[in-house]
Amino acid sequence: MRELPTLEAARDLDLADPLSRFRESFHLPQHEGKDTMYFTGNSLGLQPKAARQALEVELEDWATYGVEGHFQGRNPWVSYHERFVDGLCHLTGARPHEVVAMNGLTVNLHLLLISFYQPQGTRRKLLCEAKAFPSDRYALCSQIRLHGGNPDTDLIELAPREGEHRLRTEDVLAAIADAGDELATVMIGGVNYYTGQLHNMKAITAAAHAVGASCGFDLAHAMGNVPLELHNWNVDFACWCSYKYLNSGPGAVSGVFVHERHVRDANGRGTATRRLEGWWGHDAESRFKMDPEFVPMPSAEAWQMSNAPVLNMAVHKVALDLFVEAGMPALRERSLRLTAYLEELVHAVAERTGANLEILTPTDPAARGCQLSVVAHGYGRSLFDHLMAHGVIVDWREPAVIRMAPVPLYNSFEDLVRFAQVLETGLRELGHAV
Ligand SMILES: *Cc1c(COP(=O)(O)O)cnc(C)c1O
C-alpha cells in the first residue's frame, strides 16, 4: 500500500524552494486558528498584504490634492493605466503597445469582438468550445445576433469526442480547416475553466489564420497560471480578468491584448478599422485638446474608453509586482512540481481507500496549468462538506467534480499533504463509492 508523504517531508520541500517565501506576502484565510488549504486561487486569488497600503496611498492623495491628484499624486491618475504595462507584458509576452488594463472581462470580450468578429457574406461563423464559460457564450451569441445572425447556425461549439473529457488539438485544427472560408473568428478559453486543459494557442491561431479567420482567447484561467507568448503566437486579441490568479481583488480590472499589426503600421496606424471609441483611447499627445475628431492611440490604448478607476486598480499594481519579482518562468516550474505532487497524492489516496477518483485534467504537464479537476465517483456533496469543514477550500460542481488549484505564489507542499489527509479521512468516513 502506497504511503502518503509525511508533513515533515512536505515541509522540507517547502524549505528547499526559495519561492516558498512569497506565501508570506498574502493573507491566508483562517480555519480554527490555522491557515486554510486554499485551492480556489483560480476563482478568487488571495489578498496581497501590500493591498491595503496601495489603496491608502490613493485615498490619501485624493484627500490631500483633490482633482490635482491627477498630476500631483504619487501615482498621477492621468497616466494611471500605464503602471500596469510592464507587469502585463511580463505575463503575456506582449510588447508594451499591445496591452492595456481596463473594464471588466466580459465587457472587454465584447469590445474586442466588435473589432475582430466581422461577419461578411458567407463568412459568418464563430468557433468556440462546447460548454464554454456561460458569460463567454452569452457574449458570443449576442454578438452574432447583433450582426443579424443566428447562433444556432453561426456558432460552432466544439465538443470532446464521445466518452472523452477534453478536446484533442488535432480535432480543433480539423474543425477550423473544415469551417474554412465560412469561419470569421475563433474564440476559445486558453485554459478551460472546467477541465483545466491548456490549449495549444499557437497552433490554433495558425490554423485560424490559414483559413482567413481572426483568432482570440479568453485568458481568465491562463493569466498568471501558464506561460504566454501572445505576440509571437500571432494571436489577434485576448482578454482576461485580474481577480483569479492575478490576486487583484474581487471584480478587479480586466485587461486586453491587441496584436501590434492591428494597432500600428509603418504609417503609425493599424489594420483595426472598427472599434467603439472614447476619449481615453485618443492619442495621448492631444487627448486634452478635446478636439471633436478621434485620433486613436497607436496602441491597445485605442480601445480604452474611460479614465482609469483608480481605486479599483490600485491593488492590481502590487499584485502584478509579485509576479514580476518571482518571475513567471520560475513560478511555472514550481507550478509543475506542485501540480504533479498533488496528482500523485490523489492517486495514492485513491489506491489507499479504493475510491474511484478520476482526474479530468490532462496528464501531460504541457497541456495544463496548476488546476486539477477531480471527480469523486459515487460521492456526493457530503464529501465537499467534509473538505470545507476541515479547512479545505475547493470549488465543487455537480455531480462530484472538485476543482482545485495549487497556486505557486502561495500554496505549499504542506497544504497538499494536509489536503490528502483530509480527503482520505473523508472518503473513509463516508464509505466507499457504489
Ligand atoms: C471568470 C470568467 C469570466 C467572468 O467574467 P467577468 O466579466 O469578469 O465577470 C468570464 N469568462 C471566463 C472564461 C471566466 O473564467
Side-chain angles (χ1 to χ4, degrees):
M1 180 74 65
R2 224 191 296 196
E3 292 293 319
L4 291 185
T6 60
L7 286 174
E8 289 68 36
R11 282 184 203 122
D12 285 345
L13 291 174
D14 287 323
L15 281 173
D17 186 343
L19 290 184
S20 296
R21 72 180 171 89
F22 281 93
R23 182 180 174 98
E24 285 301 307
S25 306
F26 292 89
H27 291 290
L28 265 292
Q30 299 294 297
H31 174 79
E32 293 174 354
K34 278 179 149 171
D35 289 349
T36 49
M37 290 146 270
Y38 191 85
F39 299 123
T40 43
N42 56 350
S43 182
L44 185 72
L46 290 181
Q47 182 183 137
K49 288 182 180 162
R52 190 172 296 265
Q53 173 63 19
L55 275 165
E56 270 171 14
V57 165
E58 306 308 339
L59 287 170
E60 280 167 16
D61 284 358
W62 180 20
T64 309
Y65 303 113
V67 71
E68 288 302 311
H70 282 293
F71 306 99
Q72 308 283 320
R74 279 164 277 183
N75 312 303
W77 305 326
V78 69
S79 53
Y80 205 76
H81 57 279
E82 294 171 9
R83 311 175 70 216
F84 310 100
V85 170
D86 287 349
L88 293 178
C89 286
H90 179 74
L91 290 170
T92 57
R95 298 190 172 168
H97 46 276
E98 293 176 319
V99 288
V100 62
M102 62 182 194
N103 308 320
L105 170 53
T106 308
V107 172
N108 282 336
L109 182 56
H110 275 295
L111 295 181
L112 293 169
L113 286 169
I114 289 281
S115 297
F116 294 102
Y117 173 59
Q118 301 188 20
Q120 263 161 12
T122 53
R123 191 186 280 283
R124 317 200 61 85
K125 295 203 165 147
L126 226 170
L127 184 143
C128 70
E129 328 143 78
K131 296 202 204 149
F133 194 88
S135 195
D136 295 27
R137 193 172 187 281
Y138 305 152
L140 298 176
C141 290
S142 59
Q143 285 282 333
I144 289 172
R145 282 190 222 102
L146 199 66
H147 289 280
N150 177 357
D152 291 342
T153 48
D154 294 344
L155 189 66
I156 305 174
E157 297 180 88
L158 285 189
R161 292 185 189 186
E162 189 71 34
E164 297 188 6
H165 295 297
R166 301 173 294 271
L167 284 172
R168 298 189 192 191
T169 302
E170 70 216 64
D171 290 353
V172 179
L173 304 184
I176 291 171
D178 277 356
D181 58 13
E182 293 192 346
L183 189 61
T185 302
V186 174
M187 207 309 287
I188 288 183
V191 171
N192 182 276
Y193 82 100
Y194 184 70
T195 62
Q197 177 180 14
L198 165 58
H199 287 290
N200 185 336
M201 291 179 250
K202 184 181 178 187
I204 292 173
T205 304
H209 290 170
V211 297
S214 61
C215 187
F217 296 95
D218 183 329
L219 301 177
H221 284 262
M223 270 297 265
N225 179 20
V226 294
L228 297 166
E229 289 185 59
L230 301 182
H231 178 86
N232 290 340
W233 295 341
N234 238 341
V235 168
D236 291 294
F237 65 96
C239 48
W240 52 85
C241 54
S242 68
Y243 48 81
K244 292 174 180 165
Y245 292 103
L246 297 191
N247 309 314
S248 302
V253 69
S254 164
V256 306
F257 166 90
V258 180
H259 198 278
E260 180 172 76
R261 65 183 167 277
H262 301 300
V263 300
R264 60 167 63 163
D265 57 18
N267 305 317
R269 296 285 163 255
T271 56
T273 50
R274 274 165 54 115
R275 183 170 45 222
L276 296 185
E277 293 167 345
W279 72 322
W280 234 250
H282 191 283
D283 192 48
E285 301 288 314
S286 51
R287 189 173 289 160
F288 296 105
K289 290 199 179 135
M290 304 294 207
D291 280 340
E293 286 310 316
F294 182 84
V295 180
M297 275 294 279
S299 76
E301 269 184 58
W303 276 259
Q304 184 180 234
M305 293 187 195
S306 296
N307 71 100
V310 166
L311 298 181
N312 164 328
M313 291 164 84
V315 178
H316 194 35
K317 179 67 166 71
V318 291
L320 289 177
D321 285 349
L322 289 169
F323 280 91
V324 174
E325 192 188 337
M328 198 55 205
L331 285 171
R332 170 65 169 171
E333 194 272 334
R334 177 175 162 89
S335 170
L336 292 171
R337 289 196 297 130
L338 279 169
T339 307
Y341 196 76
L342 173 60
E343 188 178 32
E344 270 306 299
L345 288 169
V346 170
H347 290 320
V349 169
E351 188 185 307
R352 291 166 59 77
T353 58
N356 180 0
L357 302 177
E358 183 191 6
I359 299 179
L360 301 182
T361 312
T363 46
D364 176 6
R368 67 186 186 196
C370 69
Q371 174 182 322
L372 291 185
S373 303
V374 182
V375 195
H377 285 285
Y379 289 86
R381 212 186 144 85
S382 52
L383 178 62
F384 173 69
D385 294 338
H386 169 88
L387 295 174
M388 294 294 279
H390 291 81
V392 176
I393 317 284
V394 290
D395 175 275
W396 177 265
R397 302 268 154 160
E398 297 298 336
V401 182
I402 303 167
R403 292 190 311 155
M404 49 185 304
V407 169
L409 265 177
Y410 48 72
N411 282 122
S412 61
F413 289 94
E414 184 180 345
D415 285 341
L416 297 179
V417 172
R418 285 174 64 209
F419 158 74
Q421 293 173 347
V422 174
L423 177 66
E424 180 165 324
T425 333
L427 294 170
R428 288 194 197 287
E429 280 174 13
L430 296 167
H432 282 181
V434 279

